[in-house]
Structure formats: C-alpha cells, structure tokens
Amino acid sequence: MMESMLSQNELGVLALLYLLSVIPILFSIHRTYHHKGFSFHLLFSITYLSVFYLGFPFSLILSFNYGILLQSFENVCLTLFLPTVFYLLYYAVYGIRLLPIKPGKRTEFLYKDASSKIEAKLTALFLLFIALGTMLVFFMINGLLLFKLESYNQIFSSQVTGVALKRFFYFFIPALLIFYFISPSKKRWWLFLVLGLLCGIASYVVIGGTRANVALVAALFIFIGIAYGYVSINILFFGAVAGILIMFLLAMQRYNLSLDDSKTVYYFLHLTRDTFSPWESLSRLLAYDKIEYQGLMPIIRDFYVYIPKTVWAERPDLIVNTANYYTWEVLNYYAGLAISPTLIGSFYIMGGFPLICLGAVICGLIIKGFDNIYFYAKTSLNKNKSIILQAYCFANIFTITVLTREGLDAFVSRFVFFNLIFWSCYLLAKLIVQGLKRFNNISS
C-alpha cells in the first residue's frame, strides 16, 4: 500500500470530487426530511454520509498539519467515487415501490382491550430484565472494568470472562422504547433520555469503555423527537456536534489520554474521524493487492460468537469475519480490537466489486423493508401492534448503524440475535396474558 503527500492540484481535484459526491446525499436527506420527516432512509443516508464522507476533511487537516500520509491520489479518488455510485444504486432500488403502503399522519388510538397494554408492558419488563440481569451477572464476574483495566483492548483479553453477555445489555433500549410508545408524550420523551443515559452509563462503567449504548440513547432521543415533531432537523445538527464532543471526551478517557497534552487537537481529529467516519479503512482496503475474497463465510462465522464453548468445544477462538480479516490481514494488527472495514469494505472483502453492486441492491431492499414496517406501524388501527412495531423499528436503528459502519456480516448476526430475543419476549408476554384471560374465564 503506497502512501504519499498530495499536491495542491490533486487536492483541488479531490475537493471538487468530494463536493460532487456529498451534494446528492445531502439533497436526498433534505428532500426526505421535508417529505416524510423521520424514515429509515433518512437514518441510513445520515449514517452513510457520516461514515464515508465526514472524515475526509479531518484526514486532510491531519495530512497538512501533522504529516499523516494518505493513500495515492488515484486511490483516494476511487474511495470518494465508489460510495457515491453505491448510494445512487441503493437509492434507485429503494425508490422501487414493492408494496402499496403509503405513509399517513400519526393518529392517536385508544385501547379496545386492556390486555394489549399489559402485553406491551410485560414485553418491556422481560427485555429490561434481560439487560439488567446480564449486566449484574457480568459485574459479579468481572467487577467494574472501567476502574480495573488499564487499556480498552484488555476487554477482549483473557482477563475478562463472559464477554458475550455484553451483547444483552443493549435490550434496555427497546424496553424503554416500548414504555415510550405506550403513551407518547414530550414528558415520556425526556424520561426516555434520562433513564436511557443512566442505563447506558452503567453499562459503560461495567464494561469498561464501550460507548455505543450512550450514543444510541442520544441518537434515538433526537430521532424520536424528529418523528414526533418535538425537534427540527437543526437540532439534529447541533445534537451531532454535541455528540462528537462527548464521544471525543469518552474516547480520551477510554485511551487514558490527557486534555492537557499538546496533541489534544491531533487526538480530536484522529479519534473523531475513526469513531464516526472510518473512510480510510476503505481506502487502505482498496489499495491492498493480496486480498483473498471470503465469499459468504464471514456472515456464517459472525454467528460463532453466540455459540458457547460448552456447546461447541472446537469453536474457533479467532473468528474471521470481515472486520477481523481487515484488521489482521490488511492492517496486520493483533491487539484484540477489530477495526471496521465499513459497509462497502465488507462487501469488497466478500466478493470484490461485483458484490459491492449486489450489496447496494441488498441495502436498498433492507431499508425499504424497515420503512414499510414503520409506516404500517404508524397507521395501524391495532394499538398494541403499533406500539410493538414502532419500538421494534426504532430499536433497529442500532442494527442499521452496524450495517453502515461494520458491514453485512455484522448486521445479519446482530439482526437475527435481536429478533430472536425481542420476539421471544413478546411471545412470552402474549402467552402469559392469554393464559390469565383463560384462567379468569374458567374461574368466572
């Protein structure tokens, strides 16, 4: 992989290409917001813009002021051009009408049956029990890792047991979403933020530096505000700026860096770029000439983490999904932390440019599917169905973020895992309520 300093003429061409790449996505975001308000297309577009384009200016500043080398001019051009082509193809597929579902205005519905409300509340309680219960078990095994570990990478070392449990912590978010959608109001909206941040901070302290749950609560707070008219798109911008600063401060704490250091600006540029916009991962990957395409195996291998050793004694300890392939083979980095290859990078690792084109089609269908479910939930006359489906859709903001940032293999495994837990809790709640109704009928 050849890295170099770019000339002024090359930088001028890249700046023009950057603007031409960003403008269509910004236009799509603006048009979607004013026509539909919140949608999963809006979410995907904002996340996509952040992942593939937000970090480019940061990289240029790092190159100019700190001498950080970039890939060759041709490679950077391809890295800017490829996501634009991917997005345009995605957008064309997303625009195809698959089902005759039209978004309607949100309407308040009354419960026809009190048992529907009980089903929703029980589902939320089961999800909350799973999240807080696994967090308590993890704490009892490992203590408060934030105060025990010296570096973030140690989370993935043999010093920590039961790492798979941290995947269950996330379920406090769909639980709180259900409580909000049972009776949406501005007061409950703020209550969601407060309770969500408390749970997110607790998981941050217990795990020892994982910021995802805190960031997701804040993001959901803003997106719910947009969907219900509590905030405007301008608040989203200011919220994004505040989120960048907060995530930077948490990253400084996670990596034991000091704000008094003379390299604080460098830390800010570097950590913010890598946190929100790992676009250089795609750039390095496209420059790598020894890639061995993995096919669909990374999707299958990503499920291995959910299989305990007691069930599969010969389960591989080193799981080659697209993130680990990129980290180990391309970066030659073995510190235990997997580096994101991005959505397009994951498709490239699995099958090169042909699979990137197919991936754009797949993403268009995925986002279209979520929007169809979401708009159906908003207009459903069944209140219980509306609550559960809206909470389900908003809870999947996490999986959509994983899709855009990490890739299809990480998305599929987390999506299947989330659906298994979420709908199992709902089914259990439904069975309990139906059992109680039958018992009452027999007693009477």
Side-chain angles (χ1 to χ4, degrees), residues 292-312:
E292 297 179 7
Y293 297 123
Q294 301 295 299
L296 298 180
M297 282 306 297
I299 296 176
I300 298 172
R301 293 176 189 140
D302 210 62
F303 282 95
Y304 290 179
V305 70
Y306 298 105
I307 305 174
K309 283 279 191 178
T310 53
V311 176
W312 184 14

Side-chain angles (χ1 to χ4, degrees), residues 240 252 303 359 363 411 442:
M252 292 287 285
F303 282 95
C363 289
F411 165 79
I442 293 173

Side-chain angles (χ1 to χ4, degrees), residues 86 89-90 343 347 354-364 366 408:
F86 184 98
L89 181 55
Y90 148 81
L343 168 65
F347 284 122
L355 201 58
I356 290 176
C357 295
L358 178 60
V361 175
I362 292 171
C363 289
I366 290 172
L408 184 68

Side-chain angles (χ1 to χ4, degrees), residues 4-295:
S4 62
M5 295 294 292
L6 302 177
S7 67
Q8 290 185 350
N9 289 336
E10 289 174 336
L11 288 174
V13 173
L14 288 175
L16 178 61
L17 181 58
Y18 179 76
L19 289 175
L20 292 175
S21 300
V22 167
I23 286 173
I25 304 177
L26 288 174
F27 174 76
S28 175
I29 291 171
H30 181 268
R31 184 173 180 274
T32 302
Y33 173 73
H34 284 285
H35 280 76
K36 294 182 179 179
F38 174 80
S39 70
F40 280 86
H41 169 60
L42 176 70
L43 167 69
F44 179 82
S45 299
I46 291 173
T47 310
Y48 189 91
L49 181 70
S50 170
V51 168
F52 291 103
Y53 296 103
L54 177 66
F56 181 72
F58 289 82
S59 294
L60 291 187
I61 296 172
L62 285 167
S63 180
F64 265 111
N65 292 348
Y66 298 96
I68 304 299
L69 299 179
L70 298 174
Q71 298 296 321
S72 67
F73 171 71
E74 294 79 8
N75 175 272
V76 177
C77 283
L78 180 60
T79 308
L80 291 175
F81 178 71
L82 191 59
T84 306
V85 174
F86 184 98
Y87 185 84
L88 292 175
L89 181 55
Y90 148 81
Y91 188 70
V93 174
Y94 174 83
I96 298 172
R97 185 178 296 280
L98 300 176
L99 295 172
I101 297 176
K102 296 181 179 179
K105 293 183 179 180
R106 182 172 58 86
T107 309
E108 299 295 338
F109 301 111
L110 297 176
Y111 288 100
K112 294 181 179 180
D113 186 354
S115 63
S116 296
K117 193 171 184 178
I118 297 173
E119 283 180 12
K121 286 185 175 181
L122 276 177
T123 303
L125 286 172
F126 291 150
L127 291 168
L128 192 61
F129 175 79
I130 289 172
L132 299 183
T134 52
M135 197 182 301
L136 178 62
V137 171
F138 190 86
F139 163 71
M140 293 174 65
I141 296 172
N142 299 290
L144 299 177
L145 293 183
L146 184 65
F147 306 110
K148 292 178 65 176
L149 301 181
E150 296 180 0
S151 66
Y152 179 71
N153 290 351
Q154 289 179 299
I155 293 175
F156 307 98
S157 69
S158 58
Q159 294 177 254
V160 180
T161 53
V163 176
L165 289 174
K166 69 188 184 78
R167 294 180 181 267
F168 292 91
F169 298 177
Y170 166 76
F171 286 101
F172 75 83
I173 293 179
L176 294 178
L177 284 170
I178 291 174
F179 281 125
Y180 169 78
F181 284 114
I182 285 174
S183 181
S185 67
K186 205 164 188 177
K187 182 179 179 181
R188 284 193 173 227
W189 177 57
W190 281 103
L191 187 61
F192 168 82
L193 177 66
V194 173
L195 295 177
L197 288 179
L198 288 175
C199 292
I201 292 170
S203 67
Y204 178 84
V205 174
V206 170
I207 297 172
T210 301
R211 301 163 291 166
N213 287 337
V214 176
L216 280 166
V217 168
L220 281 164
F221 175 74
I222 293 175
F223 282 122
I224 291 173
I226 292 173
Y228 279 79
Y230 302 143
V231 298
S232 66
I233 196 72
N234 296 328
I235 299 299
L236 176 62
F237 172 76
F238 290 112
V241 173
I244 288 173
L245 293 175
I246 293 170
M247 293 292 277
F248 165 65
L249 293 174
L250 290 174
M252 292 287 285
Q253 189 280 329
R254 184 171 80 172
Y255 295 112
N256 296 319
L257 302 174
S258 173
L259 286 172
D260 298 330
D261 197 296
S262 59
K263 291 186 176 181
T264 299
V265 175
Y266 168 80
Y267 292 148
F268 173 77
L269 295 169
H270 181 75
L271 293 173
T272 301
R273 183 199 64 190
D274 290 353
T275 298
F276 292 95
S277 182
W279 78 277
E280 284 197 19
S281 294
L282 179 60
S283 181
R284 294 189 185 96
L285 184 58
L286 293 174
Y288 187 69
D289 58 0
K290 299 178 182 178
I291 188 167
E292 297 179 7
Y293 297 123
Q294 301 295 299

